[in-house]
Amino acid sequence: MKIAILTTGPFYANGIGGVETMITLKYNWLKRNNHEVKVFNYCPSIPKRKKKDFVEVVKYEYESYDKTLAKELVEELDKFDAVIFEKEATVQCGFTFDTLNVLYHDVWKKISTKKFLWQHNGLAKSLNKYPYVLGFINEADGIIHLSPESEYVQEMVLKLPSKQNRSFRSTVFTDFSEFDDMEKNQERENK
């Protein structure tokens, strides 16, 4: 199966955080299970690497698109069997109303393949801090979350009751074999 992961913001900069961790885990799990997967980054402007010694932190292939490339982004995403939008809890810096408007109207609503919105943060305030979030939810074929008891899911069900049947609990895509060599490291610090 071909899976596209759509994310927003300058995640490449530090390679840390909850959403970045989930993208990495999901990407690695899908690859190990013989799925074709690619990450697409929608950002306020395509990142320019200023330093000659810039080292890429993330360990997967991705492409960045800004609002001027919305049509091309949709064309690429529609080549996949499904798109998972890894939504941040709040809007990243640099996004304006215009760039978010394009993300919702010219990207999300135009994708014709299966669309899944993955909600990382379980707090209800996530519904209020992301413009168009109810539209993103409404347009999605499925909403993936970590807990059906979370404030976010409960609030979503109140505001969009028809989406309750399209709400799916996610498991963390962890490959425990990554930790096989940990016991071999005898020089550990207790902190």
Side-chain angles (χ1 to χ4, degrees):
M1 188 173 229
K2 292 176 66 174
I3 308 289
I5 298 173
L6 175 63
T7 190
T8 58
F11 69 93
Y12 67 91
N14 55 23
I16 60 171
V19 172
E20 168 56 32
T21 300
M22 292 308 294
I23 292 171
T24 300
L25 292 172
K26 195 171 285 133
Y27 180 90
N28 291 338
W29 187 91
L30 289 165
K31 281 287 198 188
R32 272 192 313 277
N33 288 280
N34 300 315
H35 295 286
E36 185 178 328
V37 60
K38 186 172 178 183
V39 178
F40 294 86
N41 178 33
Y42 178 83
C43 49
S45 60
I46 295 177
K48 293 182 175 50
R49 291 166 175 78
K50 295 178 182 176
K51 296 181 180 178
K52 291 181 182 177
D53 60 347
F54 178 84
V55 177
E56 189 71 68
V57 176
V58 296
K59 303 275 193 275
Y60 47 76
E61 177 187 357
Y62 73 91
E63 283 186 36
S64 291
Y65 291 79
D66 63 11
K67 67 180 185 177
T68 65
L69 298 170
K71 184 177 178 183
E72 290 85 349
L73 175 57
V74 172
E75 289 171 0
E76 286 300 312
L77 293 172
D78 278 341
K79 294 176 182 176
F80 289 79
D81 298 314
V83 175
I84 301 171
F85 179 21
E86 301 272 350
K87 187 183 87 53
E88 301 269 4
T90 59
V91 179
Q92 294 290 324
C93 60
F95 276 92
T96 62
F97 176 76
D98 191 38
T99 54
L100 288 165
N101 195 34
V102 170
L103 175 62
Y104 177 64
H105 289 289
D106 298 338
V107 177
W108 189 246
K109 287 181 77 171
K110 304 273 185 186
I111 298 169
S112 60
T113 193
K114 293 271 188 230
K115 298 183 280 195
F116 296 90
L117 180 70
W118 190 87
Q119 175 61 32
H120 173 67
N121 184 316
L123 301 175
K125 64 183 179 182
S126 299
L127 286 168
N128 302 323
K129 289 190 169 189
Y130 207 96
Y132 296 116
V133 72
L134 292 174
F136 280 105
I137 293 169
N138 198 43
E139 292 285 327
D141 294 298
I143 300 95
I144 305 167
H145 52 81
L146 294 174
S147 171
E149 293 83 25
S150 70
E151 292 176 2
Y152 174 85
V153 173
Q154 297 304 314
E155 195 73 19
M156 179 192 71
V157 169
L158 280 174
K159 293 181 179 180
L160 295 167
S162 66
K163 294 300 170 193
Q164 184 173 7
N165 296 331
R166 292 185 184 185
S167 173
F168 306 98
R169 184 174 182 270
S170 173
T171 55
V172 179
F173 296 84
T174 301
D175 177 12
F176 290 98
S177 67
E178 293 176 15
F179 307 108
D180 286 348
D181 292 335
M182 283 185 74
E183 70 277 359
K184 294 176 186 173
N185 179 7
Q186 298 301 319
E187 297 179 30
R188 293 189 216 169
E189 289 183 43
N190 291 326
K191 294 185 179 179

